[in-house]
Amino acid sequence: MWRSFLVGNVLYYVVGIALAYLCKDNRAFCKYICPITLFLKPMSYFSLFRIRVDKTTCVSCGRCERVCPMNVEVSHSSRRRKNGTECILCMKCVEECPKNALKL
């Protein structure tokens, strides 16, 4: 039992590190292999809680996208934005916005 636990953990980390290196994405394992994303991605797509952009006050400075740890295209409110389902609601973009154009 103990040996299976160790082998499973080693295999988990080897596959995760290899995918991160090959895909040049530190969350490649989570995005492409982890079975939990099968349930989380659709739920985050239809989520009621999301960062919304007030286009009238946004000056498109790009600060929000530079501080986003998940590389979400923050300046679009659309559900089709790049990496939109990856948002973890860390609120770094909201804090960084100079014009307070981002709201939850």
Side-chain angles (χ1 to χ4, degrees):
M1 183 77 147
W2 181 251
R3 188 178 314 160
S4 298
F5 173 75
L6 288 177
V7 169
N9 275 313
V10 168
L11 185 62
Y12 175 82
Y13 284 106
V14 167
V15 169
I17 291 169
L19 272 175
Y21 180 75
L22 292 173
C23 297
K24 297 189 181 10
D25 183 1
N26 63 347
R27 295 191 66 242
F29 184 87
C30 296
K31 289 179 182 177
Y32 307 120
I33 293 181
C34 182
I36 294 172
T37 59
L38 179 68
F39 302 106
L40 293 181
K41 277 203 180 264
M43 299 319 294
S44 67
Y45 183 80
F46 295 109
S47 173
L48 298 176
F49 301 105
R50 69 176 57 244
I51 305 295
R52 300 189 195 301
V53 181
D54 182 4
K55 291 288 188 183
T56 59
T57 56
C58 179
V59 293
S60 300
C61 64
R63 285 177 159 182
C64 53
E65 292 179 15
R66 282 194 295 272
V67 299
C68 181
M70 305 308 288
N71 297 324
V72 174
E73 194 176 65
V74 181
S75 59
H76 298 359
S77 291
S78 170
R79 292 188 191 279
R80 297 179 190 196
R81 65 186 175 190
K82 181 181 165 214
N83 294 333
T85 59
E86 302 296 318
C87 182
I88 57 175
L89 295 175
C90 67
M91 307 300 279
K92 288 182 180 180
C93 57
V94 175
E95 294 168 0
E96 188 68 25
C97 184
K99 300 290 183 180
N100 294 325
L102 302 174
K103 306 283 187 235
L104 184 64

